[in-house]
Amino acid sequence: MTGGKPLLAMVVPCYNEEETLPAAAQQLLDKLTGLIAADAVSPESMVLFVDDGSTDATWDLIEKRARENPRRFAGVKLSKNRGHQNALLCGLLSIKDSVDAAISLDADLQDDIDVIDEMINQYRAGREIVYGVRSDRTKDSFFKKATAQGFYRFMRFLGADIVYNHADFRLMGKAALRALAEYGEVNLFLRGIVPLLGYKTGSVYYGRKERFAGTSKYPPRKMLKFALEGITSFSVRPIRFIAALGLGMFAASLAMTAYAAAQYFRGNTVSGWSSVICSLWCVGGLILLSLGVVGEYVGKIYLEAKHRPRFNIEKTLFEGGGARPAGKPPAGPHQGGGAAFVNQEGQL
Ligand code: UDP
Ligand code: MG
């Protein structure tokens, strides 16, 4: 173990979760109490619920708990439904400066909260990010399993670095949270951003359970939108594909021109056929090729417009030297602390 007891926040986005919230809050409280008793986390640790513009009694239930037990429960309410990713980001950013580590998890507790102990062990041993990875999907429907696995494979094929079978159940230390805050993108796909942060990472494995109450807030329509979000936010390969197609078609048009010319001279054509065929292929190929070229620039603009940080610092050794960053990193038990400070001060 290298680090002290972290002040932990469990961040739970909730959208119309009145059926799951009471039991989930109780289970999370029990978990937290156990962790505190075992000296694994600081006694200040807490659960933060983010109400993602629910239209049922979710917020009332959160408020009641925060009022009765303000030491353990806190809440944030979004003014309207902005989707799971935004709600989660809101929760993580609201506590990034006041905690040492945050664990994000769903309100339906499909993710096994018993692996949290192992996540904390890994964090205390120096891992800044610990991914919760599903070791089996036996409880998922065939449809969900097939689409989800196809999606992970496709994302990998497109060159996005995402962790296979990891959803948003993960622990992030303060340095990682602060680094995440530097990503200003509006189209949010956290699973793609977190691996970009770098830092030392670890994984814990668990079997995903069934939702114990209520219904999924991710119908196929939302899932598809989310998948498209992931693909278009992290890859410009679809644009490259158009350019390649254009190039192929243009090359084919040259062959078609030769073929049409040969047919023309052999007298096998009706009048006008050769010129129509040639221009059809040639123009089609040129249009696709030009689209690809324009797309390449649009892709560049898209990536630039995200204003992603170009790097995140993990450690600095400025002590005793002339050149130093604008401030002195605060002393912290965890190795990521100093780095986060530099990172927040500016990108050096
Ligand atoms: N959620 C949210 N906003 C939404 C949809 C979902 O905050 O617009 C929350 C939801 O309350 C839950 C988590 O995101 O805590 C995951 O949703 P769900 O369990 O319905 O998704 P599934 O597990 O079926 O993919
Ligand atoms: Mg769920």
Side-chain angles (χ1 to χ4, degrees):
M1 297 239 167
T2 58
K5 281 187 291 183
L7 201 167
L8 177 76
M10 299 185 186
V11 179
V12 189
C14 310
Y15 177 57
N16 290 346
E17 295 285 4
E18 61 182 5
E19 284 158 289
T20 57
L21 205 118
Q26 189 55 48
Q27 285 191 43
L28 292 176
L29 181 62
D30 293 345
K31 185 81 223 164
L32 214 49
T33 314
L35 287 168
I36 294 168
D39 243 9
V41 298
S42 144
E44 306 297 311
S45 300
M46 46 120 180
V47 180
L48 173 70
F49 290 109
V50 183
D51 179 3
D52 185 16
S54 300
T55 49
D56 65 0
T58 301
W59 180 246
D60 299 335
L61 294 169
I62 296 171
E63 225 179 354
K64 181 166 172 276
R65 276 156 190 81
R67 221 181 301 114
E68 285 170 3
N69 193 352
R71 208 169 137 80
R72 291 283 166 259
F73 290 115
V76 179
K77 181 173 164 54
L78 301 191
S79 59
K80 78 187 275 281
N81 181 241
R82 300 310 306 258
H84 168 254
Q85 299 285 293
N86 286 314
L88 181 54
L89 184 73
C90 163
L92 294 175
L93 296 190
S94 335
I95 43 93
K96 74 176 192 322
D97 294 318
S98 48
V99 301
D100 298 314
I103 293 179
S104 45
L105 68 169
D106 294 348
D108 54 10
L109 300 191
Q110 281 188 279
D111 304 311
D112 188 359
I113 57 172
D114 287 331
V115 297
I116 288 179
D117 303 64
E118 175 57 19
M119 281 182 164
I120 291 163
N121 281 344
Q122 293 202 16
Y123 169 77
R124 293 181 71 177
R127 315 255 161 184
E128 188 59 26
I129 299 170
V130 186
Y131 297 108
V133 176
R134 291 174 209 173
S135 52
D136 79 290
R137 278 183 174 269
T138 44
K139 296 280 163 46
D140 275 355
S141 69
F142 174 75
F143 175 74
K144 183 117 190 173
K145 196 152 79 184
T147 50
Q149 291 192 336
F151 172 68
Y152 285 112
R153 293 220 173 89
F154 190 54
M155 283 294 282
R156 286 257 174 115
F157 166 73
L158 290 176
D161 177 20
I162 61 170
V163 179
Y164 194 68
N165 267 342
H166 159 71
D168 281 304
F169 181 36
R170 76 178 83 82
L171 177 147
M172 292 175 80
K174 201 188 202 96
L177 290 171
R178 285 180 167 175
L180 177 67
E182 301 286 327
Y183 286 72
E185 51 203 88
V186 178
N187 301 300
L188 200 59
F189 187 73
L190 288 171
R191 264 172 251 186
I193 300 176
V194 175
L196 293 181
L197 301 178
Y199 299 105
K200 230 173 158 182
T201 63
S203 300
V204 296
Y205 298 87
Y206 66 98
R208 190 163 151 97
K209 299 181 217 158
E210 273 174 82
R211 185 177 247 280
F212 72 87
T215 51
S216 171
K217 309 298 178 291
Y218 261 106
R221 181 180 50 84
K222 263 196 194 171
M223 248 164 60
L224 189 68
K225 189 167 166 264
F226 185 54
L228 282 177
E229 189 78 61
I231 292 164
T232 53
S233 296
F234 282 87
S235 180
V236 287
R237 279 204 193 170
I239 295 177
R240 302 248 158 87
F241 178 69
I242 296 177
L245 203 66
L247 207 61
M249 205 159 149
F250 186 66
S253 84
L254 297 180
M256 276 310 284
T257 309
Y259 171 70
Q263 294 294 64
Y264 175 79
F265 286 118
R266 278 204 200 148
N268 285 346
T269 57
V270 289
S271 111
W273 180 81
S274 310
S275 53
V276 168
I277 281 298
C278 289
S279 38
L280 203 76
W281 277 82
C282 205
V283 169
L286 280 177
I287 289 178
L288 267 185
L289 191 60
S290 323
L291 260 183
V293 172
V294 173
E296 196 60 35
Y297 285 98
V298 173
K300 286 251 153 54
I301 295 170
Y302 181 58
L303 294 178
E304 290 286 344
K306 284 177 188 283
H307 290 298
R308 283 184 178 164
R310 277 159 289 183
F311 48 80
N312 297 305
I313 295 171
E314 186 169 334
K315 284 180 191 168
T316 45
L317 292 172
F318 279 105
E319 299 305 321
R324 332 170 145 246
K328 207 170 148 44
H334 196 258
Q335 57 180 4
F341 184 76
V342 175
N343 186 33
Q344 238 218 347
E345 283 297 303
Q347 300 291 310
L348 278 189

